[in-house]
Amino acid sequence: MAASIAGNVLHARDDLVSQIISAWSPLALLLTVELISRVPVHRRLLAAVRWAATALIAGIAAWVSYFHMAAVASRYGETGGAQYLLPLSVDGLVVVASICLVELGGRLAAAGAARS
């Protein structure tokens, strides 16, 4: 997540407001995944809406982050396609970590329910 935020902030203009705006997409994704992995599901319809909203936020964050990071990689000398692959490795790691958090949250909830 730190690499994604750093890439986005490096792409921003040299003022605080631009940097905060650039950092928002990866932070929104992190907060969304934290919520979805920690808040238990009580209604299926609301769970579906929550997953759809998470997918939308993840799509927006990935789109914004990808192009910010590709521009930064190009600016700092990455060529030959590396500037387009580097953002995929960073955002791919964010996706894997997010899925792990959701899985871990589900396992912890199941373990807690089994003890009750």
Side-chain angles (χ1 to χ4, degrees):
M1 189 56 67
S4 183
I5 292 169
N8 281 281
V9 170
L10 282 171
H11 184 261
R13 286 184 289 172
D14 195 20
D15 66 78
L16 183 61
V17 173
S18 294
Q19 293 168 348
I20 290 170
I21 290 169
S22 290
W24 174 247
S25 290
L27 288 173
L29 177 59
L30 174 66
L31 293 171
T32 303
V33 170
E34 280 293 320
L35 287 170
I36 208 165
S37 67
R38 294 180 187 269
V39 177
V41 174
H42 294 291
R43 294 186 188 143
R44 288 182 185 235
L45 177 61
L46 291 178
V49 170
R50 188 168 71 167
W51 277 102
T54 299
L56 178 64
I57 291 168
I60 292 167
W63 178 270
V64 171
S65 180
Y66 177 85
F67 288 105
H68 284 181
M69 291 186 68
V72 168
S74 292
R75 183 182 340 153
Y76 288 98
E78 293 296 326
T79 59
Q83 69 272 31
Y84 304 114
L85 295 174
L86 182 67
L88 294 176
S89 70
V90 172
D91 290 337
L93 180 58
V94 171
V95 169
V96 170
S98 299
I99 292 169
C100 289
L101 283 173
V102 172
E103 283 293 316
L104 185 59
R107 288 182 185 204
L108 290 173
R115 281 188 250 159
S116 298

